[in-house]
Amino acid sequence: MFRRTFWFTTGVAAGVWATTKVNRKLKQLTPESLAATAANKALEAGERLKDRAVGFALDVRDNMARREAELGDALGLNAPVDQELPPSRRLAAIENHDGAARAEGSALPYHPNPYKTNPYNRNEDH
């Protein structure tokens, strides 16, 4: 009799365990659960991608600053200025922006608005 009770209890326990496992799996396969799982995985993937992108951007910025310093040293841009720099030269066109004549040697005289000298006016035809 004890043997029958043991096997009956073992069978009931196995049935309860199997039923619980099957019900959990069925709940995982419902559309709502699948959508929630997919959304969670997408969020996790997005976070990982964002972290990688931020890390990449920081690496690029650091390497860019380092390379810029190397180029500045190679070109002498970062060297201390011991002597006074020569005065900057400006183009004649920039200096004569107020309507003065062009630089010497220029073939054409400077005119502030060459279209005003045209005697033809389209508005007169209408």
Side-chain angles (χ1 to χ4, degrees), residues 49-120:
L49 184 63
K50 184 187 104 178
D51 292 342
R52 288 181 184 175
V54 168
F56 177 73
L58 291 175
D59 287 345
V60 167
R61 186 179 299 161
D62 292 342
N63 289 331
M64 181 177 61
R66 184 173 44 93
R67 181 64 178 152
E68 188 173 322
E70 289 173 3
L71 290 174
D73 291 340
L75 295 173
L77 298 176
N78 296 339
V81 178
D82 295 335
Q83 60 186 2
E84 195 173 314
L85 296 174
S88 62
R89 294 185 231 165
R90 300 185 68 171
L91 297 174
I94 295 173
E95 290 175 355
N96 296 324
H97 69 280
D98 58 349
R102 285 188 180 187
E104 295 178 19
S106 169
L108 299 173
Y110 175 77
H111 194 283
N113 190 353
Y115 298 108
K116 285 187 178 177
T117 61
N118 190 353
Y120 177 73

